[in-house]
Amino acid sequence: MSAIRNVCVYCGSSDGQDQRFADAAEELGRALAAEGVGLVYGGGGEGLMGRLARSTLAAGGYVTGVIPTFLIRKEHALTAAQEVVVVDSMHERKQAMFDRADAFIALPGGIGTLEELVEQLTWAQLNRHVKPILIADIGGFWRPLLALCAHMRIEGFIREGFEARYMVAERIEDAMPMLRAAAERRAAEREPQAVGSPRKM
């Protein structure tokens, strides 16, 4: 059985210019609810964050929003979420989201979304966690970042054995199956293996 009970989703507090981004956020919310997987997100009510959370709620899903005090008004905290966690700083926000999540998805977003994604990639690279990370490359949004990662590897700044572990999905419908498969593989890797074969009587 998959260990994924809650997924942390990073995404923009704006809608962006491409309607596909908004559609993807709403589709992901419905998918999480249909799978019985809780959403952990930044707590805002605007942009892709708001669309994602409202879509999850409308489909009967569970939403946990984590937001710093100074962003409650600026990002219009979504008080309709079943759980709203108010923290003092961005560092506490990110730690609280990490602690509550079994996997991560990055939808399109701005500098904050990029920073959150890269932090998780760094922690995974340094073996601080093995939680699956999925980049939702909607409409090719993340291709410049993926190209940069490839460039850093080619130039020798991502050494063998220190690769950033992540998956890329171009369609939201592929996201949860990919995360579950990754979680199951990693769970199997951690299970003790039997030594030798049973003796025949």
Side-chain angles (χ1 to χ4, degrees):
M1 183 175 178
S2 170
I4 296 181
R5 299 172 300 276
N6 296 287
V7 171
C8 174
V9 180
Y10 303 127
C11 58
S13 57
S14 299
D15 282 333
Q17 298 296 323
D18 193 325
Q19 181 61 37
R20 288 177 292 181
F21 303 157
D23 293 343
E26 293 176 357
E27 183 182 352
L28 179 56
R30 292 190 295 270
L32 291 171
E35 293 260 356
V37 173
L39 166 66
V40 178
Y41 86 117
E46 301 293 315
L48 300 187
M49 293 202 315
R51 288 179 180 275
L52 169 69
R54 288 190 178 90
S55 177
T56 305
L57 290 169
Y62 192 92
V63 175
T64 300
V66 184
I67 192 165
T69 306
F70 74 94
L71 285 179
I72 289 177
R73 289 187 179 180
K74 187 174 182 179
E75 292 190 348
H76 300 95
L78 187 66
T79 57
Q82 287 94 337
E83 184 179 5
V84 178
V85 180
V86 179
V87 296
D88 292 328
S89 69
M90 294 295 284
H91 292 294
E92 290 179 82
R93 181 197 218 180
K94 291 188 293 181
Q95 186 65 54
M97 292 168 75
F98 174 84
D99 290 341
R100 287 166 170 76
D102 302 303
F104 305 91
I105 295 176
L107 288 171
I111 293 173
T113 302
L114 175 63
E115 189 265 345
E116 290 168 325
L117 168 61
V118 170
E119 181 170 72
Q120 293 307 329
L121 291 173
T122 302
W123 289 0
Q125 183 185 39
L126 298 174
N127 293 314
R128 297 298 88 194
H129 77 82
V130 293
K131 299 177 182 181
I133 302 168
L134 185 138
I135 297 173
D137 188 30
I138 308 303
F141 179 83
W142 291 110
R143 286 178 194 166
L145 175 64
L146 299 174
L148 177 59
C149 289
H151 175 68
M152 288 187 288
R153 185 171 59 252
I154 290 168
E155 294 296 332
F157 290 102
I158 299 178
R159 304 190 309 276
E160 185 176 351
F162 285 88
E163 294 85 359
R165 297 188 299 272
Y166 59 86
M167 298 168 288
V168 179
E170 296 181 355
R171 304 183 307 170
I172 292 300
E173 63 195 75
D174 297 328
M176 285 308 301
M178 290 173 69
L179 287 180
R180 287 197 185 280
E184 288 165 3
R185 282 195 304 271
R186 288 173 187 175
E189 289 169 1
R190 293 195 297 270
E191 289 178 0
Q193 300 297 313
V195 178
S197 57
R199 296 178 65 182
K200 294 182 179 180
M201 300 300 291

